[in-house]
Amino acid sequence: MSVAPRTDGVLVDRYGRVARDLRVSLTDKCNLRCTYCMPAEGLPWLAGPELLSDDEVVRLVRVAVERLDVTEVRFTGGEPLIRPGLLDIVGAVAALEPRPRISITTNGIGLDRLAPALRTAGLDRVNVSLDTLDPARFTQLTRRPRLDAVLAGLAGAAAAGLTPVKINSVLMRGVNDDEAPALLRFAVDHGYQLRIIEQMPLDAQHGWDRGTMVTAEEILASLRTRFDLSPDPTERGAAPAETWLVDGGPARVGVIASVTRPFCGDCDRTRLTADGQVRACLFATEESDLRAALRGGADDDELARRWRTAMWGKRAGHGIDDPTFLQPTRPMSAIGG
Ligand code: SAM
Ligand code: SF4
């Protein structure tokens, strides 16, 4: 094993994992208040000058693509669709050589209107978060009555060709834990791919509880009450979702068991926050300040060197089950989920 970060090429850590998938948070703000993510009153948002400008975002993504061999770029947040410069950023990233694959994780509000322009700008795919199909539950869960807007966003994304359209769902005990089969029925009927995610300790309120979390095992048992699930023969690779064929296929369903079946050994992610900090992991407690370097006049080589050094220190695993586990100070919405 090598003992120091490489001085050129890919983002590799001391365990030999190579990060080719970049998650970029475009804002920490959001127009929903999902209970597992944010408190009702919102959070102390980053101030304008703290945020990377559109040009700064594009420059850092360019460094990642051109010098660090990143091949996938996903924009997230907060809610990325509320970033004013989104279309310009997507367009500039799509013009990079070699062109990375570009996707967005969004709550879907406004996507019906934005999807055609995003497609034209170069967006390839979307993941839309949707935890319930019941309007009252949606309002309870997100604290905003916007289910119809999300459903319209999903349909708009599919119509614009941002496919495969994936749905991300988080189940919460006593709230929507009975809804896995209905969500899968809805997804299969509409040609969307459902992925159900175990809730993680990343809420700003620190309300996560391992004991009440709905586990992958429970999710699968619940789905199997209505569907036949068989192993998916396609290679999983670094994908976080373990997938199953639904009733013999071709429809698939994924379960992301970040807590009960961690996939850290195959992780190929690197993360950039909206204020320009590199994080090696969602659960990292350390960050590397690329914004300060960039604004201090660092050239692209220096930015790439700092990024490599940050990733070299990536820990082997998130350690959620370790008694010494500490939830990161930044909540999910500020890291970029
Ligand atoms: N606002 C966008 C959205 O909701 O898709 C993008 C940001 S959101 C933080 C990204 C994803 O993280 C969503 O699918 C959301 O459901 C998920 N998420 C948020 N908090 C979570 C938690 N505590 N555990 C698991 N997933 C969470
Ligand atoms: Fe907003 Fe996404 Fe967090 Fe929900 S999960 S509050 S939509 S950032």
Side-chain angles (χ1 to χ4, degrees):
M1 193 202 287
S2 156
V3 293
R6 287 168 55 143
T7 52
D8 64 353
V10 294
L11 290 170
V12 63
D13 65 35
R14 66 187 73 222
Y15 303 99
R17 293 170 297 188
V18 176
R20 297 194 187 277
D21 182 342
L22 168 61
R23 307 272 147 142
V24 183
S25 172
L26 291 179
T27 174
D28 57 334
K29 289 190 185 142
C30 190
N31 42 11
L32 295 183
R33 295 284 183 275
C34 304
T35 52
Y36 50 74
C37 185
M38 277 193 202
E41 65 278 15
L43 291 165
W45 312 121
L46 291 166
E50 293 180 271
L51 287 176
L52 295 178
S53 67
D54 295 353
D55 287 347
E56 288 173 333
V57 170
V58 173
R59 170 144 179 233
L60 290 178
V61 175
R62 183 171 58 70
V63 168
V65 169
E66 290 180 353
R67 292 173 193 250
L68 302 168
D69 290 354
V70 158
T71 55
E72 305 268 343
V73 177
R74 172 174 295 272
F75 294 109
T76 178
E79 178 43 50
L81 297 190
I82 65 176
R83 169 109 185 188
L86 176 65
L87 286 172
D88 291 341
I89 292 172
V90 170
V93 170
L96 294 175
E97 291 283 343
R99 183 195 188 286
R101 284 181 289 274
I102 310 171
S103 54
I104 285 188
T105 298
T106 168
N107 63 28
I109 295 173
L111 188 57
D112 51 336
R113 188 176 47 79
L114 273 170
L118 282 167
R119 182 79 182 128
T120 305
L123 186 70
D124 296 308
R125 293 198 301 103
V126 289
N127 283 30
V128 176
S129 302
L130 174 66
D131 306 319
T132 177
L133 294 163
D134 177 276
R137 277 187 185 180
F138 185 95
T139 305
Q140 180 194 356
L141 228 152
T142 67
R143 303 189 179 101
R144 301 285 187 273
R146 307 301 307 276
L147 176 62
D148 286 348
V150 178
L151 298 179
L154 277 164
L162 296 171
T163 51
V165 173
K166 296 190 181 177
I167 296 179
N168 290 354
S169 304
V170 176
L171 298 184
M172 299 179 77
R173 198 171 301 281
V175 181
N176 63 339
D177 54 344
D178 58 348
E179 233 178 299
L183 284 162
L184 183 53
R185 180 80 275 150
F186 170 80
V188 170
D189 288 351
H190 289 80
Y192 308 141
Q193 288 184 17
L194 177 68
R195 296 147 24 115
I196 305 183
I197 310 171
E198 281 180 346
Q199 192 187 346
M200 294 180 276
L202 286 168
D203 56 315
Q205 315 86 292
H206 292 234
W208 182 86
D209 175 10
R210 175 76 150 94
T212 57
M213 182 194 81
V214 181
T215 64
E217 202 178 328
E218 291 175 273
I219 294 165
L220 288 167
S222 169
L223 291 173
R224 285 194 161 113
T225 60
R226 295 256 296 273
F227 299 91
D228 174 55
L229 303 186
S230 52
D232 183 349
T234 48
E235 181 90 12
R236 179 176 178 188
E242 208 173 331
T243 52
W244 282 264
L245 296 180
V246 179
D247 292 336
R252 289 178 166 77
V253 64
V255 177
I256 304 186
S258 323
V259 179
T260 61
R261 300 180 199 172
F263 35 84
C264 303
D266 292 320
C267 180
D268 68 345
R269 306 268 166 88
T270 182
R271 294 173 184 276
L272 184 65
T273 64
D275 56 346
Q277 312 296 307
V278 167
R279 296 177 64 91
C281 171
L282 264 181
F283 296 94
T285 45
E286 314 81 33
E287 298 184 339
S288 178
D289 190 354
L290 288 193
R291 184 191 63 193
L294 184 153
R295 292 185 183 169
D299 63 12
D300 288 354
D301 282 337
E302 172 63 11
L303 294 170
R305 190 189 65 72
R306 286 176 183 246
W307 207 323
R308 280 190 206 98
T309 304
M311 292 306 293
W312 182 254
K314 179 166 172 145
R315 285 179 293 156
H318 56 47
I320 293 175
D321 274 337
D322 191 302
T324 61
F325 174 75
L326 276 183
Q327 182 169 336
T329 329
R330 278 189 201 249
M332 179 77 124
S333 56
I335 297 170

